[in-house]
Amino acid sequence: MNGDITLTWSQPADPDNTFIDYRVYEAGSNTLLSTITNYNTLSFLHIGADGQNGSRSYYVEVNSGCNGEFSDTSNIVSSMFLTVNNPGTGTAILQWNALANPNISTNNGYY
């Protein structure tokens, strides 16, 4: 695994046709990773995210309006990181992080 992380999101409503861009941020550092100006692009591949070594957190900002005066920020979401512990008893203990805290309404907490 190379640790790249793919983010996907649902297309927001744009009834006035004033979409400007999506801005994808890494949440811990508030680092802007990408500005996407195509309204129909609903994913971002974070190359070199190092996701094989731990969970990473992100949020997406949607900017719209004639002069960009409207923005909406998504919940902070995290990539899933699985840890496997083998206690030598013939079983494996699996642990992973939550995707969001609190859970997003479409997420029931079971993975």
Side-chain angles (χ1 to χ4, degrees), residues 12-77:
D14 187 22
D16 297 324
N17 199 29
T18 60
F19 171 82
I20 296 172
D21 59 33
Y22 301 109
R23 295 183 187 171
V24 181
Y25 292 86
E26 190 164 16
S29 63
N30 291 324
T31 301
L32 176 63
L33 300 174
S34 183
T35 299
I36 301 166
T37 58
N38 183 335
Y39 177 66
N40 294 312
T41 298
L42 302 175
S43 66
F44 169 73
L45 176 61
H46 185 187
I47 296 171
D50 200 30
Q52 78 278 16
N53 290 315
S55 178
R56 301 292 180 258
S57 297
Y58 302 91
Y59 62 94
V60 177
E61 181 180 84
V62 180
N63 294 298
S64 63
C66 294
N67 297 310
E69 66 267 18
F70 302 110
S71 70
D72 190 17
T73 303
S74 72
N75 294 359
I76 293 175
V77 294

Side-chain angles (χ1 to χ4, degrees), residues 87-103:
T89 62
T91 62
I93 299 170
L94 306 177
Q95 295 179 306
W96 52 88
N97 58 292
L99 300 178
N101 187 7
N103 271 338

Side-chain angles (χ1 to χ4, degrees), residues 1 3-7 49-58 76-84 94-100 103 107-111:
M1 300 207 68
D4 296 347
I5 294 174
T6 300
L7 305 170
D50 200 30
Q52 78 278 16
N53 290 315
S55 178
R56 301 292 180 258
S57 297
Y58 302 91
I76 293 175
V77 294
S78 298
S79 60
M80 183 177 288
F81 184 71
L82 174 65
T83 303
V84 180
L94 306 177
Q95 295 179 306
W96 52 88
N97 58 292
L99 300 178
N103 271 338
N107 183 333
N108 65 13
Y110 293 99
Y111 313 109

